Amino acid sequence: MSQNTLPDIRQTLTLNAPIQKVWDAVATADGIAAWFMPNNFQPIEGYEFHLNAGPFGDSPCKVTELDPPNRLSFQWGKDWTLTFELIDKGSKTEFTLIHSGWDADKVTEFDQPHTAVRDNMSRGWEGIQKKLAAYVEGAQ
């Protein structure tokens, strides 16, 4: 780990939906596609899949941790890990997104410094999580 590790992006929100509904939204290919990106995800530890990042092409990913319906982690691209943590709050679910692997000395596959991308991503995740909320809180 380099000395220039940047803090994880960590965002938590309470979703007005039961945990199983949120899990289905964050741990199935159709669910992930509905609020994040088209993909060929399968909920299998070690499974390699791609997120389709539109103009940026397909990002290779690999499932590293699967603990339904509470936790999913996968490697995203060459440096990042995405983790979704879910806590059952009865009719609601506390959802935390953790985007880790930031390093001030590294650049992305597209030669953008992590420092620059991290701030954009942090803001981007707020919008993406609103899409997730709308998806799981929509048609009940």
Side-chain angles (χ1 to χ4, degrees):
M1 203 139 125
S2 105
Q3 285 178 295
N4 292 319
T5 303
L6 301 167
D8 294 350
I9 294 172
R10 192 179 188 97
Q11 296 177 359
T12 299
L13 75 163
T14 300
L15 297 166
N16 192 18
I19 193 167
Q20 190 60 51
K21 186 170 188 185
V22 178
W23 179 254
D24 289 344
V26 302
T28 64
D30 288 348
I32 294 167
W35 61 276
F36 187 33
M37 292 181 195
N39 65 89
N40 60 340
F41 171 85
Q42 286 193 30
I44 301 164
E45 206 161 310
Y47 185 77
E48 295 185 14
F49 67 102
H50 287 86
L51 287 172
N52 181 284
F56 294 107
D58 286 335
S59 287
C61 300
K62 182 178 181 180
V63 179
T64 53
E65 194 179 347
L66 191 69
D67 179 18
N70 299 109
R71 191 176 166 94
L72 164 66
S73 284
F74 58 87
Q75 291 168 345
W76 180 21
K78 62 183 180 62
D79 297 320
W80 293 330
T81 298
L82 275 187
T83 302
F84 303 144
E85 289 181 346
L86 289 70
I87 298 172
D88 190 344
K89 300 282 187 184
S91 63
K92 298 181 189 295
T93 304
E94 186 181 288
F95 175 76
T96 300
L97 176 142
I98 304 155
H99 185 170
S100 57
W102 300 99
D103 187 322
D105 293 336
K106 291 186 178 173
V107 295
T108 69
E109 288 88 331
F110 307 104
D111 290 329
Q112 297 166 300
H114 276 206
T115 40
V117 177
R118 187 188 175 283
D119 290 343
N120 289 341
M121 283 291 224
S122 185
R123 284 192 296 275
W125 279 123
E126 290 170 23
I128 291 166
Q129 286 195 302
K130 286 188 181 120
K131 283 190 192 167
L132 172 63
Y135 177 67
V136 298
E137 293 174 357
Q140 295 295 331

